[in-house]
Amino acid sequence: MMDVLLGIDTSNYRTSLCLVTMEGEIIGEQKQLLTVEEGEKGLQQSVALFQHIKRLPLLAKEMAMDDKNLVAVAVSRAPRPVEGSYMPVFLAGQAAAEMIAHFHQVPVYYTTHQEGHIAAGEYTMNKPLAADHFLAVHLSGGTSELLDCTRTQSGYQIALIGGTDDLHAGQLIDRVGVALGLPFPAGPYLEKLANESQEATTEEFAVPSSVNGYTFSFSGPETALLKAVNNSEIPRPAIARAAEKCIANTLEKVLRRVVENGFARDILIVGGVSANAYIRSRLVKRLEHPAVKARLHFADPAYAGDNAFGTARLGLIQYKRRKKTNII
């Protein structure tokens, strides 16, 4: 029988399960977005938790376990690896993980949603990191942070060095997208709409970025973009492209500054917003320029958003380390 490890992640908007082999290869995977009513801009934690509880067993039934031997379970039980980090949605995954581990008499390993994103990025990115010390940018609907990261024996040591002081990048996209009549979460739909823009019109309409040191703000751009939505003279695609460009320009300013100030030049960008092709290409063009010399790394777009693959890989690291020292 093949030994496998199960990863579980129950984030704000997606239920995710992933089985990996002892080599870290995906052998089975199920992930599903939670249901958000049309016109709504998000979910209450209680509603999201209820949906996770309903979906976990349904997704599990879709994963074949024939000829597979479960050796451990890994789960995201908090948003970030900092004291006091908590969201009720992660209780669904934690409860499922601990129950499965108990009945199979296997260990359960804990990590966080943010570390899972970083691991998913590292194990699916287009080129390897040059060193164990690097920067990470986590961009999603619930997080927009600049992180100083170092690999450790069990995952990552993470220090927060910057980020948003109000809206997250994903919130900006979702709020503008919903105002434009797009479904929630709006990321893929806004990107498709932006690609319909005419470059001349796009250059005429833009909103300024707001950066102070390593801190940035999206509330001002949100106000300007929502005002534009009500202006019939500004095409909808131009508004969508302006939202993308604002996020890209904001990150460019911050990342230029951190590189100039001596932080690592290897920068891993993860989270749902990092899947946006326009934002990726603009950052590569501006930051991998010889004048800056940053080295950008991105998660595979399929693993930029919420997933359990990174959680499973972190669990596998802990399992192998503890197996070596006979303390499983």
Side-chain angles (χ1 to χ4, degrees):
M1 295 184 70
M2 178 185 295
D3 288 345
V4 295
L5 184 146
L6 172 65
I8 303 174
D9 184 79
T10 50
S11 65
N12 278 342
Y13 296 109
R14 179 173 281 157
T15 312
S16 304
L17 301 175
C18 184
L19 285 171
V20 297
T21 66
M22 294 300 96
E23 290 72 45
E25 296 179 356
I26 296 172
I27 199 71
E29 184 176 36
Q30 289 291 325
K31 50 188 176 180
Q32 188 176 58
L33 284 171
L34 302 185
T35 301
V36 179
E37 295 297 328
E38 185 176 352
E40 293 295 320
K41 301 175 184 177
L43 285 173
Q44 293 181 343
Q45 284 283 300
S46 58
V47 175
L49 178 60
F50 178 68
Q51 290 195 35
H52 282 310
I53 292 170
K54 290 178 64 179
R55 293 183 187 209
L56 279 167
L58 297 177
L59 294 183
K61 288 180 180 179
E62 298 298 318
M63 301 179 72
M65 289 298 293
D66 296 340
D67 300 322
K68 297 181 181 67
N69 176 48
L70 185 69
V71 299
V73 184
V75 62
S76 303
R77 64 174 174 181
R80 303 173 188 82
V82 296
E83 187 175 352
S85 181
Y86 169 76
M87 280 187 180
V89 285
F90 293 104
L91 291 174
Q94 183 177 345
E98 291 174 352
M99 183 178 294
I100 293 168
H102 171 73
F103 284 111
H104 283 265
Q105 288 296 286
V106 298
V108 57
Y109 300 112
Y110 301 102
T111 186
T112 67
H113 182 68
Q114 185 169 77
E115 290 172 286
H117 267 297
I118 294 170
E122 183 174 359
Y123 290 110
T124 66
M125 62 189 180
N126 51 340
K127 53 189 174 183
L129 292 164
D132 288 340
H133 183 216
F134 59 96
L135 291 179
V137 182
H138 182 186
L139 294 175
S140 67
T143 307
S144 293
E145 294 182 342
L146 177 61
L147 309 164
D148 189 39
C149 300
T150 303
R151 286 197 201 90
T152 67
Q153 289 186 333
S154 59
Y156 305 98
Q157 179 180 325
I158 299 174
L160 176 66
I161 59 175
T164 180
D165 60 4
D166 47 42
L167 291 182
H168 299 297
Q171 284 180 303
L172 177 66
I173 286 176
D174 287 332
R175 293 184 182 188
V176 173
V178 171
L180 288 168
L182 303 175
F184 181 98
Y189 305 99
L190 185 131
E191 182 174 5
K192 183 178 179 181
L193 179 62
N195 288 337
E196 299 174 8
S197 64
Q198 300 297 317
E199 194 60 35
T201 304
T202 303
E203 292 299 328
E204 291 173 5
F205 176 68
V207 297
S209 55
S210 177
V211 176
N212 181 16
Y214 302 155
T215 302
F216 47 90
S217 168
F218 288 123
S219 61
E222 181 202 20
T223 299
L225 289 162
L226 293 181
K227 183 178 179 181
V229 172
N230 295 319
N231 185 341
S232 60
E233 296 183 1
I234 303 176
R236 293 168 69 253
I239 297 170
R241 179 49 50 86
E244 292 178 329
K245 186 176 292 186
C246 175
I247 293 171
N249 288 348
T250 297
L251 291 177
E252 179 191 345
K253 290 178 181 179
V254 173
L255 294 176
R256 275 180 180 268
R257 191 161 293 161
V258 297
V259 169
E260 289 169 357
N261 289 344
F263 284 92
R265 292 182 182 274
D266 273 293
I267 304 170
L268 173 61
I269 304 179
V270 300
V273 178
S274 73
N276 183 286
Y278 175 84
I279 293 174
R280 287 186 180 220
S281 62
R282 190 173 178 90
L283 288 175
V284 168
K285 181 179 179 179
R286 301 297 185 91
L287 295 175
E288 292 195 340
H289 190 278
V292 184
K293 296 181 180 178
R295 295 182 292 271
L296 299 189
H297 308 264
F298 298 92
D300 183 304
Y303 293 94
D306 296 346
N307 66 87
F309 174 52
T311 301
R313 288 300 301 250
L314 290 172
L316 184 60
I317 291 171
Q318 295 184 60
Y319 173 77
K320 288 185 173 182
R321 180 173 67 87
R322 295 186 183 184
K323 189 175 182 180
K324 280 184 179 180
T325 54
N326 296 315
I327 58 172
I328 293 180

